[in-house]
Amino acid sequence: QLVESGGGLVRPGGSLRLSCVGSGFTFSHDYMHWIRQTPGKGLEWISYISPTSNYIQYAESLKGRFTISREDVKDSLYLDMDNLRVEDTGVYYCASSGWYVTAFDLWGQGTVVTVSS
Amino acid sequence: EVVLTQSPDFQSAAPQEKVTITCRASQNIGTTLHWYQQKPDQSPNLLIKYATEPLSGVPSRFSGSGSGTDFTLTINNLEAEDAATYYCHQSKSLTFGQGTRLEIK
């Protein structure tokens, strides 16, 4: 399973770090993703990171503000979010797609991020 | 970026009926199209991968078809528990459709 944490209320322009811990599978072997669900855009893929962190990709619209990383010794995935905007409000999910960038076969329960003054 | 357009946005059907949800891609994506079910207050759950392959444990009333730009999710013999929002997703440029909310009468 995957369990996210770190969501909360933050002011516009603020920062937040989300975490995701995996268990029950070989976390270090899998491509890991962050996906969000917002009222304005529905489901939106944010970023992925490959096993060993060799390959990282971001959605074009989010490049520069969000940074993905992983710490395999802790079976953990992170998302650092800077310069947050009201439109970033939503539920943030981590997900796994196994050995390749393909369907998301395992999702966390999500963590809620609210950006508001 | 590949744009996925689902239709309809909302559908209401009675138990035991059959429903069809379509997903159209803005360019040829082969069979890199996947379907998810999301029930209220839950995270999405993968139902069908690569257009036609159901995940283990998915009821046989769910099936997928299509390739290229046009794809279909079919649910036969609807049950009350199928009330959910269904999303298509393509793994070439990692975009999602806007979702189809299915109500069971």
Side-chain angles (χ1 to χ4, degrees):
Chain A
Q1 65 170 358
L2 294 167
V3 179
E4 303 94 336
S5 61
L9 173 64
V10 61
R11 300 267 191 249
S15 298
L16 211 54
R17 170 175 256 211
L18 306 183
S19 301
C20 168
V21 178
S23 61
F25 67 103
T26 309
F27 182 89
S28 62
H29 288 183
D30 282 12
Y31 275 81
M32 297 300 299
H33 305 254
W34 286 102
I35 298 155
R36 68 182 183 181
Q37 190 163 29
T38 64
K41 288 192 169 183
L43 284 169
E44 181 181 20
W45 170 80
I46 297 169
S47 178
Y48 74 67
I49 185 167
S50 68
T52 71
S53 306
N54 287 341
Y55 301 104
I56 291 175
Q57 288 287 336
Y58 297 95
E60 273 304 314
S61 60
L62 298 172
K63 257 183 197 176
R65 295 195 300 124
F66 289 11
T67 303
I68 193 171
S69 60
R70 66 191 295 164
E71 198 171 357
D72 289 340
V73 292
K74 295 184 178 180
D75 290 339
S76 292
L77 176 73
Y78 306 102
L79 185 69
D80 290 298
M81 304 186 293
D82 296 319
N83 192 20
L84 283 162
R85 305 167 182 168
V86 171
E87 54 266 34
D88 294 320
T89 294
V91 182
Y92 285 68
Y93 298 101
C94 65
S96 162
S97 64
W99 292 1
Y100 309 100
V101 178
T102 179
F104 305 122
D105 55 8
L106 182 64
W107 296 65
Q109 86 289 350
T111 187
V112 177
V113 172
T114 304
V115 185
S116 174
S117 53
Chain B
E1 177 183 286
V2 178
V3 177
L4 298 177
T5 304
Q6 290 182 231
S7 60
D9 290 333
F10 172 79
Q11 186 157 11
S12 182
Q16 300 183 338
E17 288 186 345
K18 168 184 163 180
V19 299
T20 299
I21 299 169
T22 65
C23 179
R24 175 161 287 176
S26 60
Q27 58 186 265
N28 189 334
I29 58 170
T31 57
T32 59
L33 190 284
H34 319 290
W35 291 98
Y36 301 82
Q37 176 192 65
Q38 185 178 31
K39 296 185 178 180
D41 298 320
Q42 294 184 18
S43 51
N45 182 48
L46 180 62
L47 284 179
I48 290 173
K49 60 181 180 178
Y50 294 109
T52 63
E53 301 173 20
L55 273 286
S56 172
V58 171
S60 59
R61 60 182 183 276
F62 290 89
S63 63
S65 64
S67 66
T69 60
D70 292 298
F71 302 85
T72 300
L73 174 68
T74 300
I75 313 173
N76 288 295
N77 197 19
L78 270 178
E79 297 190 7
E81 66 180 26
D82 300 333
T85 301
Y86 293 85
Y87 294 92
C88 58
H89 154 243
Q90 59 83 22
S91 47
K92 262 195 166 181
S93 59
L94 297 167
T95 53
F96 290 87
Q98 81 277 15
T100 296
R101 188 164 72 90
L102 175 61
E103 173 191 84
I104 310 300
K105 293 177 184 172

